[in-house]
Amino acid sequence: MAWTRRYDEAEPQRVNKWLGQSGVCSRREAEGFIERGLVSIDGEVVRDTGRKILPGQTLTLADGDAPPLSVVLHKPMGIVSAQPEQGQVPAVRLLTRAALVGESPSIPDRDTRLAPLGRLDMDSRGLLLLSEDGVLAKAIIGPESDLEKEYLVTVTGRITPEKVARLCHGLSMDGRQLKPVKVSVVQGQELRFILKEGRNRQIRRMCELVGLHVMDLVRIRIGPLRLGDLPEGRWRALGEAERAALIAG
């Protein structure tokens, strides 16, 4: 059912902010609704995500189709996240009915375009989100995203408090200072990394800079979404509540 309400505040306000304050959706979701042409003011479809609504105007949010399919995959080593080179296997090939855990509104086929929302390199494994949902992509990998990504990393080399401190605060890469990273020793040669940026092979390169070598790297969390007990090589559909939590940040 469409949502309609008259705007009676004294000052103009951005549509996405007002929808968020009204409890209809998050600001990011509102931007997605605008991009999909689902928002209108006094009968005129809103095309600009920065549009403001004026006192006395009436906004209507139309019913839309369900969000595009998004899936959670436990990516094994040896599988590439996105575009494969010759002889490589892309992650989308694993999204078969036989590998599905639970239910899904659809099963991806060769015509389904699912992009990785935060890549894992071929030598890494763990939580991989694949989606064609632009709102979700903006929340996870957009320039304003503040979501944490958590990894368990097994290394060789001597782990010292000084090296851990450097990993947290003291490294530059490609001529730029890295954002602060949370690094702690789990046990033995296993480290926990929590970071908010994802530069190319960042954790592996960080470890090399302090004399450590990564033997195993598994991503276990993106924001509030956890890998949990999803078996390696299996996938499931992302739930509506999980999507909302990721978008809310």
Side-chain angles (χ1 to χ4, degrees), residues 164-231:
V164 172
R166 284 190 64 201
L167 287 170
C168 290
H169 301 293
L171 297 179
S172 296
M173 192 178 293
D174 302 325
R176 275 198 303 145
Q177 185 78 21
L178 293 172
K179 293 180 180 179
V181 177
K182 298 175 184 177
V183 182
S184 59
V185 179
V186 179
Q187 61 179 359
Q189 294 295 120
E190 187 176 49
L191 299 172
R192 184 187 310 275
F193 280 72
I194 300 176
L195 58 156
K196 292 185 177 181
E197 60 184 338
R199 296 168 64 183
N200 185 36
R201 298 177 69 85
Q202 178 174 335
I203 291 176
R204 295 177 184 275
R205 295 167 68 192
M206 289 173 65
C207 287
E208 294 289 348
L209 288 172
V210 298
L212 301 174
H213 179 70
V214 173
M215 299 298 294
D216 184 46
L217 188 155
V218 54
R219 181 161 62 200
I220 62 172
R221 179 172 66 89
I222 298 174
L225 181 67
R226 293 186 175 275
L227 179 62
D229 58 1
L230 184 66

Side-chain angles (χ1 to χ4, degrees), residues 7 11-16 41 46 48-55 57 59:
Y7 181 71
E11 300 293 330
Q13 186 172 188
R14 285 180 65 129
V15 168
N16 64 344
I41 294 177
V46 176
D48 178 9
T49 56
R51 171 77 175 270
K52 291 185 177 181
I53 187 168
L54 305 178
Q57 291 185 324
L59 182 143

Side-chain angles (χ1 to χ4, degrees), residues 44-112:
E44 176 193 353
V45 175
V46 176
R47 300 296 183 185
D48 178 9
T49 56
R51 171 77 175 270
K52 291 185 177 181
I53 187 168
L54 305 178
Q57 291 185 324
T58 298
L59 182 143
T60 299
L61 174 60
D63 288 334
D65 297 331
L69 178 66
S70 300
V71 306
V72 179
L73 170 69
H74 187 160
K75 186 189 89 66
M77 291 177 60
I79 302 294
V80 296
S81 296
Q83 295 297 326
E85 297 181 3
Q86 187 172 3
Q88 295 179 338
V89 178
V92 291
R93 292 265 189 90
L94 303 183
L95 306 181
T96 63
R97 185 177 297 277
L100 173 64
V101 173
E103 298 182 355
S104 175
S106 62
I107 305 296
D109 56 28
R110 292 185 177 274
D111 295 326
T112 307

Side-chain angles (χ1 to χ4, degrees), residues 73-74 81 116-120 124-129 148-152 217-222 226-227:
L73 170 69
H74 187 160
S81 296
L117 306 187
R119 297 186 181 186
L120 276 176
S124 302
R125 58 193 180 93
L127 176 60
L128 181 64
L129 260 174
E148 292 182 339
K149 286 83 174 178
E150 183 175 348
Y151 305 79
L152 295 178
L217 188 155
V218 54
R219 181 161 62 200
I220 62 172
R221 179 172 66 89
I222 298 174
R226 293 186 175 275
L227 179 62

